[in-house]
Amino acid sequence: MRRLGYLLVLAALAPAQEDPSAGLPEQVGALFAHKCSQCHGADVVRPKGRFGYVEDLARVAETYVKPGDVEDSLLWWHLTGEQELMPPKKAKNGPLALDELALVRWWILDGAKAPQAAPRTAASDADEGSSLAARSHVLLVHFPIALIVAALLAEVLFMWRRSAGICATGRFCIVLAALSALLTAFTGWSAGEAWSPARVDIHRWLAVAALITSVLAALISPLASRQGGPVRHAYRLLLVAAAVLVMLAAHQGGMLVHGEGYFTL
Ligand code: HEC
């Protein structure tokens, strides 16, 4: 009899809104968070009835609800049953009021949908993209710096001891440096979109100059080691330029990230 009484009241409470399902999952989620998480919340160490995910509507629906069918939904029986009525009378935030029960009922009838994640906007995509780019940029940037300097060092050593091994090592370093500089510049360019041009421009163009000189050095390095002479001089010039430029660019980048005066002796 008591259940019949509920149902009659629920029928009388049928929603008069145009779209009764609008925001239903959000409302049910908020209701459960308020009335049930004391015993079934994710942060409860020993959730009652081993049911500890009441805020996760998708999972609640999967386990306790047959969408569209109130009578066949375990959840409904727990909320309206004669025994073990949920929430229990002693619950901190009290039992469910009738209109709250009606809300859950509409939610089940409407397919027991989970709240939709906030719609993605182009802006949030750009934010995320640029922060990922920014993080990988800060990681990648170490490679061209170290490798350009290593290539320059190898060339200095080569001038001193004309060993083919040192020459090959230098070429290996500058080719890797150019490749990593390409990746670094790519991530850095997208990360820089989040900054005002006035602040990033110096860093950006110094870095592009370092990229161009290191790529050129990598490109002529096979020829330089075979022919020597003027090509080798050009190669050395490019290496020195790339090393100076990458240092200046890195210093500007450091000031962007850590603030001016991060590097004082
Ligand atoms: C004061 C604590 C408390 C609150 C608040 C509470 N419950 Fe419970 N719930 C229990 C206890 C205790 C059990 C275990 C009953 C049993 O196993 O006999 C249980 C069991 C359940 C179960 C069955 C779990 C299973 O798989 O066996 C469901 C479903 C449930 N509750 C839903 C709810 C919902 C929905 C709410 C909020 C509207 C709620 N409960 C609020 C204490 C609570």
Side-chain angles (χ1 to χ4, degrees):
M1 272 320 281
R2 191 167 142 210
R3 289 199 51 221
L4 187 65
Y6 272 141
L7 297 184
L8 288 175
V9 175
L10 292 180
L13 282 169
Q17 297 157 264
E18 277 183 2
D19 181 6
S21 63
L24 211 47
E26 287 76 13
Q27 291 181 51
V28 171
L31 174 68
F32 284 178
H34 180 58
K35 294 266 172 146
C36 324
S37 40
Q38 175 199 351
C39 302
H40 300 298
D43 51 354
V44 178
V45 181
R46 283 175 196 278
K48 299 288 192 264
R50 298 199 179 173
F51 166 38
Y53 47 88
V54 76
E55 293 104 339
D56 184 349
L57 273 200
R59 214 174 139 194
V60 171
E62 204 181 296
T63 323
Y64 295 106
V65 177
K66 187 171 170 206
D69 188 341
V70 178
E71 296 300 317
D72 250 1
S73 292
L74 260 177
L75 179 72
W76 185 250
W77 292 100
H78 281 288
L79 295 180
T80 57
E82 300 289 329
Q83 299 148 0
E84 307 291 355
L85 187 67
M86 288 294 136
K89 289 207 173 58
K90 59 175 183 192
K92 190 176 61 180
N93 292 330
L96 290 191
L98 270 185
D99 59 336
E100 291 169 337
L101 209 50
L103 193 72
V104 177
R105 187 183 160 84
W106 295 333
W107 175 66
I108 296 176
L109 287 174
D110 191 54
K113 294 177 194 122
Q116 295 198 330
R120 298 188 68 83
T121 60
S124 68
D125 275 356
D127 265 8
E128 222 162 86
S130 71
S131 71
L132 178 67
R135 271 177 280 141
S136 39
H137 180 65
V138 172
L139 185 90
L140 284 169
V141 71
H142 299 94
F143 288 88
I145 298 174
L147 287 166
I148 289 173
V149 174
L152 180 61
L153 210 64
E155 188 59 22
V156 173
L157 275 179
F158 175 78
M159 290 164 77
W160 178 43
R161 308 184 140 204
R162 309 237 147 215
S163 130
I166 295 176
C167 177
T169 307
R171 279 172 55 193
F172 177 77
C173 289
I174 194 63
V175 170
L176 271 190
L179 289 176
S180 60
L182 272 170
L183 268 180
T184 309
F186 184 74
T187 53
W189 196 279
S190 16
E193 298 294 297
W195 298 69
S196 76
R199 295 195 60 199
V200 287
D201 264 3
I202 300 181
H203 169 63
R204 184 176 264 175
W205 293 112
L206 279 170
V208 168
L211 169 70
I212 292 172
T213 45
S214 58
V215 167
L216 282 179
L219 285 177
I220 69 165
S221 64
L223 206 65
S225 61
R226 245 181 291 126
Q227 293 197 346
V231 190
R232 184 119 218 166
H233 290 310
Y235 173 67
R236 284 173 190 159
L237 216 63
L238 282 170
L239 276 186
V240 172
V244 171
L245 286 167
V246 82
M247 289 297 173
L248 290 175
H251 178 62
Q252 291 291 329
M255 289 204 300
L256 277 179
V257 175
H258 303 294
E260 282 175 37
Y262 81 101
F263 186 76
T264 42
L265 292 176

